[in-house]
Amino acid sequence: MAKKKSPVGPSSVTSPEDAELPPESSHMSGFPEIKKKRQQNPYIAAKSTSLNPKFRTKWQEELYDQIYRSAKVFEHRYVDWSEIANPDVCAFDVSIKYKNLGLKRLATEKSTERENWNWNEEIVKQFYATLFVSPDQTRMDFMIGSRHCYATKEQFEKALSIEPKPDSDILHGPYELDDDDMESLYDVSKPNMGSVHGLKPEVALIRKINLHTFFPRLARGRCTTMLLRLTYAIFHERNFDIANFFFREMSEVIETPNHPLPYALHIFCLLRHMKLITKDMQLNCSLKIYSPQLPRPNFQPIALTEDEVREMGYPMIEQPGTYSHQPQQTVTLASVATNMVRLSNVMENLQKKVSAEFESMKAHISYLSSEVSEIKSHIKDPHHVLNYYKRKRA
């Protein structure tokens, strides 16, 4: 019997050499079947069943050809924290919450002071096509090139400089928010849970940041249960197991492969830590900036005296219920100048935001157009997973 090649990692796989996997199907059988197969460890078998050295099993190879080859890699963005921390631009600084939880560095421009976040999309697709996450979320196995590799949760934490904290919540576990917890996120009484309407401004900002960084899912106009849990934990600065969160989210992605592939930057940070980056890998993808529409500070209107109003050339308007003996509110020229500068800054930033949102809208329209074209091509493919139930009925 040929000797099994040891995987890249702290120790070799100790599973029985004669372990066998269930028979492989010749085509993708739909999401329930995919979920079932992704929960089975393909690396316990003594030999690879794929002729392609990039895959452990033939089923992984088929999975890549039918799903992951054309899958979209999520376009993560880094946050312009300096703008959020500027009191003249944003009414509150939520960056402090991310910093206290150890999340801020994972959503900044660079992974370290010297290195940018960058990655290779083909490697990311191979990673997800071959990924297996252990049921207890403490280890993941995957293929990089022709090498079977694995990483423990501790390695992942060390690679991303995540400091585990005792008594941290498991957001994917039995972690439930009661009515009081949910209402703490909203400004309105008896809110429609799961809706974005009525969210406190700082909570809405945290939700937006999460959708571009730690929870890259499509959630237009709503807050899913997991997104609410994550947003609640950050808003109230409750420590949670960050590495477990990443592992569980990657498990969700491979079990229901209808999402863009997330965490490319974090995966490559792990690969660098494991010294798996080779010179022939073209790291041609990098982060783009995300500048959310920020809640603006509320500036109080300036009260002028009658003489100052007349000097400015405005007619006086008598208000009902006013009396001459009421004290008049006055302002100084310095306060007027300060508020004029603030107003000018707000208008300038608003112009930048409108321009950026317009460019983002064009990019989204282009993306949706490509998605529609891709779906049309999949519908025409009789062997694609989307046509499984149609074939079954036939």
Side-chain angles (χ1 to χ4, degrees), residues 157-194:
E157 291 171 335
K158 189 173 182 181
L160 295 177
S161 300
I162 298 172
E163 296 183 7
K165 297 180 180 179
D167 301 324
S168 294
D169 295 325
I170 304 295
L171 297 189
H172 288 80
Y175 181 88
E176 297 295 338
L177 300 179
D178 59 27
D179 291 342
D180 291 337
D181 295 332
M182 299 288 277
E183 289 183 0
S184 70
L185 303 176
Y186 290 85
D187 265 337
V188 296
S189 59
K190 297 182 180 180
N192 182 11
M193 301 305 181

Side-chain angles (χ1 to χ4, degrees), residues 116-184:
N116 291 318
W117 298 102
N118 46 37
W119 61 90
N120 178 291
E121 287 197 350
E122 290 305 317
I123 299 297
V124 173
K125 293 177 181 181
Q126 182 195 13
F127 173 88
Y128 275 106
T130 61
L131 177 63
F132 171 76
V133 180
S134 64
D136 59 358
Q137 288 79 46
T138 59
R139 164 176 167 149
M140 55 183 175
D141 290 71
F142 50 90
M143 300 288 292
I144 297 296
S146 59
R147 306 172 71 179
H148 166 208
C149 312
Y150 75 85
T152 63
K153 180 184 174 186
E154 289 74 19
Q155 280 182 295
F156 187 81
E157 291 171 335
K158 189 173 182 181
L160 295 177
S161 300
I162 298 172
E163 296 183 7
K165 297 180 180 179
D167 301 324
S168 294
D169 295 325
I170 304 295
L171 297 189
H172 288 80
Y175 181 88
E176 297 295 338
L177 300 179
D178 59 27
D179 291 342
D180 291 337
D181 295 332
M182 299 288 277
E183 289 183 0
S184 70

Side-chain angles (χ1 to χ4, degrees), residues 1-2 4 13-22 43-47 56:
M1 179 181 293
K4 184 179 179 182
V13 176
T14 57
S15 302
E17 289 288 330
D18 57 349
E20 295 182 358
L21 292 175
Y43 298 97
I44 62 176
K47 294 182 180 180
R56 183 68 177 176

Side-chain angles (χ1 to χ4, degrees), residues 13 34 66 83 93 109 114-115 121-122 142 185 194 219 223 230 234 248 276 312-313 320 324 342 349 369 372:
V13 176
I34 289 176
Q66 297 192 27
E83 187 175 19
D93 183 8
E109 183 177 5
R114 298 182 180 180
E115 293 188 27
E121 287 197 350
E122 290 305 317
F142 50 90
L185 303 176
C223 279
L230 176 62
I234 295 173
R248 290 296 294 264
L276 295 174
M312 296 175 67
S324 59
R342 289 178 175 175
N349 284 314
S369 177
V372 170

Side-chain angles (χ1 to χ4, degrees), residues 136 157 162 190 218 226 255 275 332 350 376:
D136 59 358
E157 291 171 335
I162 298 172
K190 297 182 180 180
L218 294 177
M226 189 51 57
E255 291 175 3
K275 303 187 185 305
T332 63
L350 179 61
K376 287 181 178 179

Side-chain angles (χ1 to χ4, degrees), residues 242-253:
I242 299 173
N244 178 276
F245 180 84
F246 275 95
F247 275 44
R248 290 296 294 264
E249 282 300 303
M250 285 190 274
S251 295
E252 292 281 343
V253 168

Side-chain angles (χ1 to χ4, degrees), residues 28 237 327 377 387:
M28 300 300 101
E237 297 186 36
S377 66
N387 294 314

